[in-house]
Amino acid sequence: VMIKAYDEVGSGFTGSGFFISRRGKIYIASAGHLTFVEKFGENNLSYEAVWMDKAGREVSFPIKLVFVKFKNGAEDFAVFKFEAGKLPFNPAPLEFADSSKLLPGDWVISIGAPSAMFPFYTFGNIAYFKFNIFIIHSAFISLGSSGGPLVDLDGRVVGMNVSIMRGVAIIAVATSSNAMLRWLDEFDEENNKQ
């Protein structure tokens, strides 16, 4: 899914996301930095989700930010819900895998919308895994890939792309699925209070 954020004057920013299910409801998970709340404030942006239907046409719907965890370098996660009540299709939510079982060399697939090209798939390997939070991998990502899922060969989410480290080579950084599941538990708790 491609995520678009618009400020008050209509300037747009793009990133990626993916469908998840929580307590029987469909949401979109993405990267917290794509919400731009630190720059523009929580109520000064509007968002939409764009994806391809089975006929290859772009479909878009307004979405609303309902949860964000963003602390630069430590937390980078957001949840959106659909503004419209019922969607004209049944999105397939992705399942989460246990990222603590990842090993260097494991194959992964990055899915996203770099430069608004979507869906865009690249393959790579797990290179490094630290503190059960960050995954370093070799699947190609670029601007617009943030928020897209990193999946294992069974199609289960093991991480979410959040940044690129530049140096001798460009290295992709993802947040682990186990970290996302902890934040989703917080999201569920907040939802129960409302």
Side-chain angles (χ1 to χ4, degrees):
V1 175
M2 182 167 63
I3 305 291
K4 291 185 176 180
Y6 299 96
D7 63 18
E8 291 174 315
V9 295
S11 297
F13 313 92
T14 62
S16 303
F18 56 99
F19 296 115
I20 60 170
S21 177
R22 298 305 283 181
R23 301 182 183 218
K25 292 184 179 175
I26 300 293
Y27 296 93
I28 295 176
S30 188
H33 71 269
L34 295 176
T35 65
F36 297 97
V37 293
E38 286 200 344
K39 185 173 182 180
F40 295 104
E42 205 161 319
N43 299 313
N44 298 320
L45 292 164
S46 60
Y47 306 94
E48 72 177 353
V50 182
W51 60 93
M52 296 285 202
D53 67 11
K54 289 182 180 177
R57 296 176 302 237
E58 280 191 16
V59 179
S60 63
F61 274 87
I63 54 176
K64 180 179 181 182
L65 178 65
V66 291
F67 181 80
V68 64
K69 292 288 277 187
F70 182 66
K71 205 182 288 178
N72 207 7
E75 299 173 336
D76 198 348
F77 185 68
V79 177
F80 295 90
K81 73 175 186 178
F82 289 96
E83 295 267 24
K86 189 167 167 84
L87 295 169
F89 69 100
N90 292 321
L94 295 179
E95 293 181 23
F96 288 88
D98 181 354
S99 56
S100 69
K101 294 188 166 49
L102 289 173
L103 297 170
D106 285 351
W107 283 98
V108 288
I109 305 165
S110 173
I111 307 169
S115 303
M117 295 182 293
F118 72 98
F120 195 87
Y121 302 88
T122 59
F123 292 82
N125 301 92
I126 299 297
Y128 185 70
F129 189 40
K130 184 149 184 166
F131 308 126
N132 203 18
I133 296 176
F134 298 111
I135 301 166
I136 308 298
H137 64 88
S138 63
F140 173 80
I141 66 171
S142 68
L143 292 176
S145 297
S146 284
L150 185 69
V151 300
D152 62 17
L153 295 183
D154 293 318
R156 298 171 307 164
V157 176
V158 295
M160 178 182 61
N161 294 312
V162 292
S163 67
I164 300 168
M165 292 172 38
R166 296 182 189 272
V168 175
I170 296 174
I171 299 171
V173 180
T175 297
S176 74
S177 59
N178 287 4
M180 286 188 282
L181 287 168
R182 285 194 302 273
W183 298 327
L184 282 168
D185 286 342
E186 287 181 39
F187 167 64
D188 289 341
E189 283 178 29
E190 285 186 17
N191 259 356
N192 286 340
K193 292 174 186 171
Q194 296 174 356

